[in-house]
Amino acid sequence: MPSTEAEADAVADVTALLRELAVGRADGLPLLFAQVQGDLRRVAHRERLSVQAGETLSTTALINEVYLKLDQSSLPPFADRRHFYNVAARAMRQVLVDYARARFSQKRGGGDHHETLGAAERVAEADDAARLLDINEALDQLDAVRPRLAQVVYLRFYAGLSDREIGELLGIEESTVRRDWLKARGWLHQALASP
């Protein structure tokens, strides 16, 4: 349960907007994004910095890309807050992975050669993009065998939610979220260490 009255009101507002969106309210998605804008900006800023996106993929651009992905897809109505945050986290992951693929391709000769970067910087950027692609593949594998563990990773890493918030969304105890996080980290570490 939300710990403050303001958090409870925010949850109620998001829930109400999700219901309106489900019945076909045309401006539902823009209103929903306006309601969760602060959370999405915080998460998008952190995530774009973690993948060293630079200025070509700003925080606002990342949020806009997520919005466009959700607006242009033929998703069924969001069942609840949990469903929305799961879908938003996956959309953010897809945007970041697409960005990494483009960077990786460019750094490996798929695009123009930029003389302003030193060779070591180019290799480091390509390695970062390759690492993100490896993590994406490992997450897909985890999702196939342990979907709840993958959900915890999406919500924690991509949506930036706390253990308490994840527990509320998934309907599990906070201690279970922490155990799932440890299991997922161990599984991903092992998957990424394998050749």
Side-chain angles (χ1 to χ4, degrees):
M1 295 300 295
S3 60
T4 67
E5 190 174 322
E7 287 177 350
D9 289 344
V11 167
D13 289 346
V14 170
T15 303
L17 286 169
L18 287 169
R19 282 190 203 116
E20 291 178 17
L21 188 60
V23 296
R25 181 173 174 178
D27 62 346
L29 191 60
L31 290 173
L32 178 61
F33 262 69
Q35 180 69 30
V36 297
Q37 180 79 10
D39 290 336
L40 292 177
R41 284 193 70 73
R42 177 180 46 83
V43 172
H45 179 72
R46 187 189 77 228
E47 292 308 316
R48 65 176 274 286
L49 290 178
S50 74
V51 298
Q52 300 173 351
E55 294 306 312
T56 58
L57 184 65
S58 69
T59 300
T60 301
L62 180 54
I63 292 170
N64 289 342
E65 289 293 325
V66 169
Y67 174 84
L68 290 173
K69 266 192 172 305
L70 296 181
D71 189 44
Q72 294 172 352
S73 61
S74 55
L75 295 169
F78 298 113
D80 52 21
R81 288 177 54 247
R82 171 185 169 195
H83 185 211
F84 169 73
Y85 281 110
N86 275 327
V87 171
R90 285 178 186 258
M92 191 172 294
R93 173 182 164 216
Q94 290 170 352
V95 170
L96 290 169
V97 167
D98 289 347
Y99 179 78
R101 280 189 182 120
R103 278 184 35 216
F104 184 70
S105 171
Q106 187 176 37
K107 299 304 175 204
R108 295 292 187 214
D112 295 335
H113 179 69
H114 297 285
E115 293 298 328
T116 59
L117 291 177
E121 289 172 314
R122 286 194 306 276
V123 169
E125 285 184 13
D127 289 344
D128 289 343
R131 185 72 174 164
L132 184 61
L133 295 175
D134 290 343
I135 291 169
N136 180 59
E137 184 177 328
L139 267 173
D140 285 342
Q141 293 169 1
L142 178 60
D143 196 22
V145 294
R146 302 288 301 271
R148 191 176 80 196
L149 296 184
Q151 252 185 338
V152 168
V153 173
Y154 297 141
L155 293 172
R156 186 171 183 160
F157 187 74
Y158 291 101
L161 300 180
S162 69
D163 291 345
R164 181 181 55 80
E165 292 168 321
I166 294 168
E168 289 172 6
L169 286 174
L170 299 180
I172 58 178
E173 295 293 323
E174 192 174 336
S175 59
T176 303
V177 173
R178 283 191 291 276
R179 280 192 304 274
D180 284 353
W181 173 246
L182 290 174
K183 289 176 191 174
R185 281 181 41 196
W187 194 97
L188 290 170
H189 179 71
Q190 186 176 10
L192 292 169
S194 301

